Amino acid sequence: MSGSSPFQMRLVHLDLKGAPPKVSYLSEIFPLFRALGANGLLIEYEDMFPYDGPLRLLRARHAYSPSEIKEILHLATLNELEVIPLVQTFGHMEFVLKHKALAHLREVALFPNTLNPHEAESLALVGAMIDQVMDLHPKARWLHVGCDEVYYLGEGEASRRWLQQEQNTKAKLCLSHVKAVASHVLARHPATTPLLWDDMLRGVPEDQLTASGVPQLAQPVLWDYGADLDVHGKALLMEKYQKCGFSRLWAASAFKGATGASQALTPTEHHLRNHVQWLQVAASGPADVLQGIVLTGWQRYDHFSVLCELLPVGIPSLAVCLQSLLHGGFAEDVKARVENFLGISSLNITGFTSAGTGSFPGSDILALVTQVSLHLHSSVDELLQRDSRFKRVISNMYFKTARGRLASRVGPTRVWLCPQVRDRLVQPLPPQAEAHPPGHDPAHPAPGAQSPGQVERPRGGAGGRPAARLLPRRRGRVAGGERAPQPAAAATATAGPRGSGWHSVPSGQPRPRPRSGTLTGASPRQRPAASSLRQRPQCRRSSLGRGAGNVDGRARVH
């Protein structure tokens, strides 16, 4: 199956923090993953993992059950897909630190994205998360511990005091926490090797990285999702990591979710070029240095962001990218193989429409999203531009679901009402947030809305995902309460994992300012009309999703 691919492992990334598929859909798509050339999965559970005990507040209402996790792993084994779980342990901790009971563990009180590395309770928390995930993945040879986009590191009060001491730096602070997390993994699970995104390591001097001990404990995953990535620069970075003592390196590309926070349709050509560049990177170094490549498929840029391309929408891009990695490029014979796998008579990689949308699992969802994004959206825009009076009236109209769960500005038709979409997703709506970050600052501006076919170029920056806009443009309260922590549970969870518990937020703890979410551009998350909201089909487990996005008549806007 490996063909001429320089990557021994080819992992498909399942980002479950947005629109997580039902197990029944995974049973349909896993055989296709394997047929296309994948031999592994990187599963980023976030709040879809069935955390229990003191960690139960981390799980979403519709989180997978332990039996469903075991079924997913069984399906992966049947299709010869090795599973690597991913647990965030430093940055991108929004789904953890948004809760009142854990807010005191933030690096900066106002922002729930970064863990305070100075608190012993912080390590106990991530250690307990790791142990619960590993309990359901006892045979995992690798565990990804995240550690990307550790924003605001060094800006907390404890960090500032620590940094005032001689020879202390942010890099040293970061490496010390990474080392502690990796050491916990190896101590408790000696047969499992930690992986981590490499962005926080790139700027660390060689001597400091070598002396930290991290290269002896973990393996970095070099990520770049650009269509014009710097091949020579990546080769130099690989050389640096080798000199520092890392035994093996990994690469990370993207097959979807890297060209715009609200991208609805996947620009296949962009992702194909990204993978062709990674083939050049692999060819520029020793053959045995790169252990494998992760084909990331981001579903949200962060926990509070809108959805980008749905998994079924990105399947043609995934097929093109996997087959290109497997055969060393995308020649005409490879194109014919992809068309055969997908059931598409003529695949168009330069645009968003092909001769039919195929017969692969989820192809009907691709057809719906294409229709909404390319046809209905443009007709609505044309109507608004033609009649300015109608535009002024409609801009102030809002429709709500019968349950009052979601309010959104009238705009592009939402595809969530379609049974074809809802039947495959566990929870298609944005997460209910207990505590949201505040408005944008200059370091994290909000990307502008783009048209359905427009590609928003990924910005430079740190992280194992596209450079994310973490903070919202406007503030607003959050409706719904399905994911609010239970006061009783928070009060009784004084005995934490392994004897170290978490506590309630102190009475003097600053409360984070709320934020608003997003609905922009070609996102398939906007609704058509009030009439269709009254007769919506029911999703699994009796609810449309995680919660609502706003009150006070304002739409989520990024």
Side-chain angles (χ1 to χ4, degrees):
M1 175 69 74
S2 61
S4 59
S5 176
F7 300 103
Q8 178 183 351
M9 298 292 296
R10 297 171 298 280
L11 310 176
V12 176
H13 172 230
L14 295 178
D15 181 12
L16 302 180
K17 66 176 174 288
K22 292 184 177 181
V23 177
S24 58
Y25 179 69
L26 295 178
S27 68
E28 298 177 52
I29 206 67
F30 280 3
L32 180 60
F33 287 175
R34 180 56 182 166
L36 291 171
N39 55 13
L41 302 170
L42 178 67
I43 303 183
E44 184 167 354
Y45 290 106
E46 214 204 41
D47 59 1
M48 284 300 293
F49 186 81
Y51 290 106
D52 205 359
L55 299 179
R56 189 177 181 86
L57 79 167
L58 304 185
R59 63 195 291 181
R61 167 185 280 190
H62 301 289
Y64 296 118
S65 66
S67 61
E68 287 176 315
I69 298 291
K70 292 177 181 178
E71 177 63 18
I72 292 172
L73 298 181
H74 175 66
L75 292 171
T77 300
L78 290 178
N79 290 282
E80 302 180 54
L81 298 171
E82 182 166 1
V83 173
I84 300 177
L86 188 153
V87 182
Q88 287 289 355
T89 59
F90 205 176
H92 283 289
M93 294 285 285
E94 297 94 342
F95 81 102
V96 177
L97 300 178
K98 70 180 183 180
H99 296 288
K100 292 179 181 178
L102 302 173
H104 64 288
L105 297 180
R106 299 174 182 178
E107 168 70 346
V108 177
L110 290 177
F111 304 106
N113 51 356
T114 296
L115 192 68
N116 183 345
H118 301 280
E119 294 285 346
E121 192 178 348
S122 295
L123 185 59
L125 169 63
V126 297
M129 293 168 61
I130 288 171
D131 292 343
Q132 289 199 18
V133 170
M134 288 302 298
D135 284 346
L136 287 181
H137 299 77
K139 298 181 180 180
R141 292 196 291 166
W142 294 278
L143 170 69
H144 201 308
V145 296
C147 295
D148 58 311
E149 295 184 329
V150 188
Y151 294 132
Y152 308 112
L153 179 64
E155 297 184 19
E157 293 182 8
S159 292
R160 290 182 180 182
R161 291 193 299 268
W162 186 84
L163 290 172
Q164 289 176 355
Q165 302 176 21
E166 189 177 358
Q167 295 183 344
N168 285 349
T169 64
K170 289 184 180 181
K172 184 177 180 180
L173 179 59
C174 178
L175 292 171
S176 65
H177 181 76
V178 171
K179 181 178 180 180
V181 172
S183 297
H184 174 89
V185 174
L186 293 172
R188 297 297 305 273
H189 314 279
T192 303
T193 301
L195 305 179
L196 70 153
W197 301 118
D198 82 307
D199 53 276
M200 299 302 293
L201 310 178
R202 295 172 190 169
V204 179
E206 286 186 23
D207 57 345
Q208 191 172 352
L209 185 53
T210 302
S212 70
V214 170
Q216 288 71 45
L217 301 175
Q219 297 175 357
V221 183
L222 292 72
W223 67 270
D224 196 318
Y225 312 139
D228 54 352
L229 68 85
D230 182 359
V231 173
H232 179 65
K234 285 292 178 291
L236 293 178
L237 187 59
M238 291 168 56
E239 184 179 344
K240 169 189 172 178
Y241 289 154
Q242 286 182 278
K243 289 181 179 179
C244 292
F246 287 106
S247 59
R248 288 292 182 91
L249 310 177
W250 295 69
S253 57
F255 72 90
K256 79 174 189 73
T259 56
S262 60
Q263 188 79 26
L265 296 173
T266 305
T268 302
E269 184 179 24
H270 172 97
H271 297 293
L272 172 59
R273 290 172 57 193
N274 175 243
H275 286 79
V276 170
Q277 297 290 85
W278 270 115
L279 286 170
Q280 295 179 22
V281 172
S284 65
D288 59 344
V289 174
L290 286 173
Q291 176 75 32
I293 185 169
V294 179
L295 291 84
T296 63
W298 300 103
Q299 195 57 78
R300 297 187 197 276
Y301 276 25
D302 64 67
H303 181 74
F304 298 120
S305 186
V306 294
L307 296 174
C308 40
E309 307 103 296
L310 298 175
L311 176 59
V313 174
I315 293 300
S317 174
L318 176 63
V320 168
C321 296
L322 274 172
Q323 284 288 291
S324 297
L325 291 177
L326 198 66
H327 298 285
F330 193 67
E332 283 299 319
D333 60 327
V334 178
K335 181 174 180 288
R337 290 173 60 88
V338 170
E339 292 171 343
N340 182 59
F341 280 124
L342 300 179
I344 297 176
S345 59
S346 180
L347 179 67
N348 178 14
I349 67 168
T350 60
F352 295 101
T353 58
S354 297
T357 53
S359 57
F360 61 89
S363 57
D364 52 343
I365 295 179
L366 172 58
L368 288 168
V369 175
T370 301
Q371 179 184 12
V372 168
S373 299
L374 297 185
H375 305 300
L376 297 183
H377 179 273
S378 59
S379 64
V380 170
D381 283 348
E382 181 181 354
L383 175 62
L384 294 177
Q385 292 175 4
R386 186 171 62 245
D387 193 332
S388 59
R389 293 173 301 172
F390 180 76
K391 183 176 182 180
R392 286 196 299 270
V393 172
I394 207 71
S395 64
N396 295 318
M397 293 179 61
Y398 300 89
F399 295 105
K400 295 185 178 182
T401 64
R403 297 182 183 180
R405 297 286 297 267
L406 183 76
S408 63
R409 182 170 300 177
V410 175
T413 304
R414 291 177 60 92
V415 299
W416 296 124
L417 302 178
C418 302
Q420 295 92 328
V421 176
R422 295 166 56 85
D423 286 348
R424 291 176 172 84
L425 301 180
V426 174
Q427 45 176 344
L429 287 189
Q432 164 67 25
E434 173 193 333
H436 290 298
H440 284 285
D441 62 16
H444 300 88
Q450 72 267 20
S451 61
Q454 178 182 350
V455 174
E456 177 185 319
R457 292 183 60 82
R459 294 177 288 136
R465 63 200 71 219
R469 183 236 19 87
L470 291 181
L471 306 178
R473 177 179 299 158
R474 303 193 303 196
R475 303 171 188 166
R477 294 180 295 122
V478 177
E482 66 183 56
R483 297 195 49 212
Q486 299 299 318
T492 57
T494 55
R498 315 295 176 190
S500 177
W502 9 103
H503 315 282
S504 301
V505 180
S507 57
Q509 175 73 35
R511 292 188 61 82
R513 290 174 288 176
R515 51 95 72 191
S516 63
T518 66
L519 277 180
T520 69
S523 171
R525 298 179 55 228
Q526 296 176 329
R527 297 187 178 272
S531 59
S532 51
L533 300 179
R534 302 190 185 100
Q535 300 178 349
R536 61 184 186 186
Q538 289 299 309
C539 183
R540 192 186 84 153
R541 301 186 186 177
S542 77
S543 176
L544 179 62
R546 299 186 180 186
N550 67 77
V551 292
D552 70 15
R554 289 185 295 175
R556 290 177 176 268
V557 176
H558 277 274

